[in-house]
Amino acid sequence: MSDLISRHCDLPASDVEWLHLLIGDWQVVSDLAFADLVLWVPTREGSFISVAHCRPSTGATVYYEDIVGSVASEAQRELFEQARAQVQIQRPREPQWFGSFTVREEVVPVVR
C-alpha cells in the first residue's frame, strides 16, 4: 500500500500511517457487511487508484481478481469526486452485473 501511494499520490506520511490503521480492522467490517471493501485514493493525475482490498469470509466476493493497483473507471471517478465534494455516501442509480448476479456499489468518503 505504501509503495502505491508514494508512486501515485501526494499524501503525507502521517496520512499513510492513518490509512494503515484504518484498514487494520477491515476484515471484521467486511465480514459484518458481507461486502468487499476497497480503498481508493486520489492520484496526482486526477484519477483514483485502489491501494487496499478486503474480501468478506462470510459471503461471496465481488472482485475475483486482485484489483489493488487498478485505476478507477470514468463512472467510478465521477462517484468518487461527488463523495469527496459532498462528504456523503454515493450510490449509482443502476446496479452493475458481475456474472449472473447484480451488485450495487456504494462510495463512502473517508475523512480524517
Side-chain angles (χ1 to χ4, degrees):
M1 184 172 102
S2 296
D3 290 340
L4 282 171
I5 291 173
S6 66
R7 270 187 279 157
H8 300 281
C9 309
D10 289 325
L11 291 179
S14 60
D15 286 350
V16 175
E17 180 60 31
W18 184 81
L19 290 175
H20 278 284
L21 293 172
L22 174 76
I23 65 170
D25 294 326
W26 266 21
Q27 190 62 58
V28 173
V29 176
S30 178
D31 289 344
L32 291 172
F34 302 98
D36 286 67
L37 300 177
V38 181
L39 179 62
W40 297 88
V41 295
T43 66
R44 289 182 201 100
E45 294 79 28
S47 187
F48 291 83
I49 189 167
S50 168
V51 296
H53 176 215
C54 185
R55 293 179 173 96
S57 58
T58 54
T61 185
V62 173
Y63 301 104
Y64 294 104
E65 297 176 7
D66 184 15
I67 63 166
V68 173
S70 299
V71 177
S73 68
E74 185 65 35
Q76 288 174 315
R77 195 173 333 147
E78 289 177 22
L79 283 176
F80 298 161
E81 289 295 349
Q82 289 173 4
R84 283 178 73 190
Q86 298 173 11
V87 193
Q88 292 181 336
I89 296 172
Q90 299 294 313
R91 294 173 181 91
R93 291 186 182 141
E94 298 295 325
Q96 295 182 4
W97 283 93
F98 284 92
S100 60
F101 58 95
T102 59
V103 173
R104 185 172 300 273
E105 292 181 317
E106 293 185 355
V107 178
V108 180
V110 177
V111 180
R112 180 174 180 209

